[in-house]
Amino acid sequence: MSAPIELAMEEALRLGRHISEHASFSLVNELESVTARIAEADPERAAGLYETFIAACYEKADEVDDSSGYLGMFGGSLFARWVIARQAVFIREFEKVVNGS
């Protein structure tokens, strides 16, 4: 059984540890695997998880030598995924109103 997504976020981020430019690619690969798990969640839960993950990645940014730009690109994709999840929630709620259910 895999760890809860929140724990997987924490483990992947390695908070408190400096990440060298050389290791930043591996870090982003680990973060991408967490993002894949978030994408499988219900859109409302996913949106909340993305918000948490965005905040945690922002905090981690000071501990990463991102000369390569990998973490920055990942952050941009994370925002896009959050927007998609929020749109899915909106559409679902809109359809409930339109269909009267």
Side-chain angles (χ1 to χ4, degrees), residues 4 15 22 29 34 52 56 58 63 74 77 85 95 98-100:
L15 295 172
H22 180 71
N29 279 338
V34 174
T52 300
Y58 179 79
E63 300 174 347
F74 173 76
S77 72
E95 287 174 344
V98 169
N99 295 327

Side-chain angles (χ1 to χ4, degrees), residues 8-63:
M9 282 184 208
E10 186 177 332
E11 290 173 352
L13 284 165
R14 300 178 230 159
L15 295 172
R17 291 181 43 204
H18 176 76
I19 305 297
S20 69
E21 191 273 333
H22 180 71
S24 67
F25 183 75
S26 295
L27 170 69
V28 171
N29 279 338
E30 290 179 47
L31 299 177
E32 285 287 358
S33 69
V34 174
T35 303
R37 291 184 57 197
I38 294 172
E40 295 173 356
D42 173 77
E44 191 165 346
R45 175 157 162 68
L49 289 167
Y50 284 132
E51 291 169 8
T52 300
F53 208 21
I54 289 166
C57 288
Y58 179 79
E59 290 296 318
K60 182 66 181 178
D62 288 337
E63 300 174 347

Side-chain angles (χ1 to χ4, degrees), residues 71-88:
L71 186 61
M73 287 185 288
F74 173 76
S77 72
L78 202 52
F79 273 106
R81 291 172 180 151
W82 172 76
V83 168
I84 291 167
R86 293 299 308 155
Q87 288 174 335

